[in-house]
Amino acid sequence: MSVRTHEAQMPGDAAAGAGVDAGAGAGLGAGGADAVGAASDMPGDKAAGVRERGAPLIEVSHVSKSFGDHQVIRDVSATFCAGEVAVIVGASGSGKSTFLRMLNRLERHDAGRILIDGIEVSDERQKLDALRQEVGMVFQQFNLFSHLSVLDNLTLAPRRIRGLSRQEANERAMALLTRVGLEAHAHKFPHALSGGQQQRVAIARALAMQPR
């Protein structure tokens, strides 16, 4: 598994569109994640107008994870900065999903430290709740609420967690659905959508909370 980071070159708030995709795989048998240069380290960046690498937003230091006697992640370290698009590359079973899930404490790491915006990821409930409000995840199986419409899938968390009014949440949701080309499907339920459409709804739902 390797981690490649490049600075986002998307206009306006589209840079916020880089959610976290919990992809396939759940094991890293050997080695660790290789953090390969950010955009500011690549030749020709200054000529291309790429900004210097910003302050670290996510810091992973010497993290390991085992399931029983099987060590799936061993001594992984990586740094992700604000404004970057990161790609985690690896074969199926190389530990991508486990690594991503640990960032949101959906899996507990056994050793090492994970910091998000300077706050350590741990079981401390108050900090964990606050962190999860700022981290957007798109799950491999999407995990849409089947009993809710597309619109309600997008507005539930902003209303309950962010305290938005129904009108504000609906306006934000419709703007995101328009961005992903699904505004006409706002009142449908997930079962009525194709797999690709469900994925786009999941992306829009992750962005509705305006994650860091």
Side-chain angles (χ1 to χ4, degrees), residues 3-175:
V3 181
R4 300 179 183 273
T5 57
H6 299 285
E7 187 166 355
Q9 294 295 298
M10 293 174 284
D13 67 348
V20 178
D21 179 3
L28 180 59
D34 179 18
V36 181
S40 58
D41 299 324
M42 296 185 294
D45 279 345
K46 290 185 179 179
V50 176
R51 298 186 301 275
E52 291 186 4
R53 198 176 191 200
L57 184 62
I58 300 175
E59 300 173 82
V60 179
S61 302
H62 304 289
V63 165
S64 296
K65 171 68 179 178
S66 295
F67 293 104
D69 295 331
H70 179 51
Q71 187 170 33
V72 293
I73 290 183
R74 182 184 302 142
D75 196 29
V76 170
S77 295
T79 300
F80 306 93
C81 296
E84 288 180 334
V85 174
V87 180
I88 300 176
V89 181
S92 179
S94 64
K96 302 184 298 295
S97 289
T98 300
F99 179 78
L100 291 171
R101 288 170 64 85
M102 288 191 303
L103 299 182
N104 211 17
R105 202 60 171 176
L106 297 176
E107 295 286 356
R108 292 178 173 85
H109 53 286
D110 300 327
R113 299 182 74 202
I114 300 174
L115 300 177
I116 297 182
D117 203 16
I119 301 174
E120 185 165 3
V121 177
S122 69
D123 285 330
E124 188 175 338
R125 194 70 212 180
Q126 187 173 2
K127 288 183 179 180
L128 186 58
D129 287 345
L131 285 172
R132 284 177 172 168
Q133 292 180 33
E134 306 300 332
V135 178
M137 290 196 73
V138 179
F139 295 91
Q140 187 177 7
Q141 300 300 326
F142 315 139
N143 290 353
L144 299 176
F145 296 115
S146 60
H147 64 294
L148 297 179
S149 68
V150 167
L151 184 63
D152 287 341
N153 263 278
L154 267 67
T155 60
L156 180 64
R159 289 174 55 207
R160 294 197 175 183
I161 305 301
R162 297 291 196 198
L164 269 63
S165 68
R166 181 178 290 275
Q167 181 179 348
E168 291 173 319
N170 284 354
E171 289 174 355
R172 180 185 296 182
M174 290 305 300

